[in-house]
């Protein structure tokens, strides 16, 4: 039987993949690391909106943030895991 903590962790991960915006961001990050401004342009959301979603993904350790110059960049922490989940969710 799963512990309450394991169930809460699974629910948090499910929540991370439940947003259209976060799914679009994750799909873009599957192509490689991106800065916030680039993600905003590619997803047609504001940089502030993307940043909020990225913070949630960061807290869940789905993405990792780092600075390069004056920009914040993001990359997937576990690329194959994210790819598997997105493939399962996006099946037609």
């Amino acid at each position: 039987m799963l512990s309450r903590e394991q169930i809460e962790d699974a629910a948090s991960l499910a929540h991370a993949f439940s947003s259209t915006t976060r799914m679009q961001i994750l799909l873009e990050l599957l192509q490689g690391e991106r800065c916030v401004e680039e993600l905003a342009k590619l997803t047609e959301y504001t940089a502030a909106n993307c940043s909020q979603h990225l913070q949630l993904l960061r807290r869940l350790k789905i993405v990792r943030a780092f600075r390069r110059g004056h920009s914040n960049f993001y990359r997937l922490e576990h690329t194959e895991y994210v790819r598997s989940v997105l493939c399962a969710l996006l099946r037609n």
Side-chain angles (χ1 to χ4, degrees):
M1 178 173 250
L2 295 174
S3 71
R4 183 174 183 83
E5 184 179 350
Q6 289 172 310
I7 293 168
E8 287 172 357
D9 288 347
S12 293
L13 286 172
H15 175 70
F17 287 92
S18 70
S19 161
T20 304
T21 305
R22 287 189 293 273
M23 285 183 72
Q24 286 179 293
I25 289 169
L26 291 169
L27 286 166
E28 290 301 334
L29 290 174
L30 280 172
Q31 307 306 311
E33 63 187 41
R34 304 269 193 260
C35 68
V36 173
E37 294 77 15
E38 187 177 7
L39 286 168
K41 184 177 178 182
L42 291 167
T43 59
E44 298 180 353
Y45 294 104
T46 65
N49 188 276
C50 284
S51 289
Q52 287 182 329
H53 288 283
L54 286 161
Q55 290 312 308
L56 183 137
L57 295 170
R58 229 177 118 189
R59 281 193 303 275
L60 294 172
K61 296 183 169 82
I62 296 172
V63 300
R64 174 178 282 175
F66 61 98
R67 286 193 68 76
R68 186 179 296 147
H70 295 287
S71 297
N72 289 320
F73 281 78
Y74 292 85
R75 72 172 71 133
L76 293 175
E77 189 72 43
H78 306 285
T79 303
E80 289 310 311
Y81 169 77
V82 171
R83 186 184 319 277
S84 296
V85 171
L86 288 173
C87 284
L89 292 171
L90 295 171
R91 272 192 194 189
N92 293 331

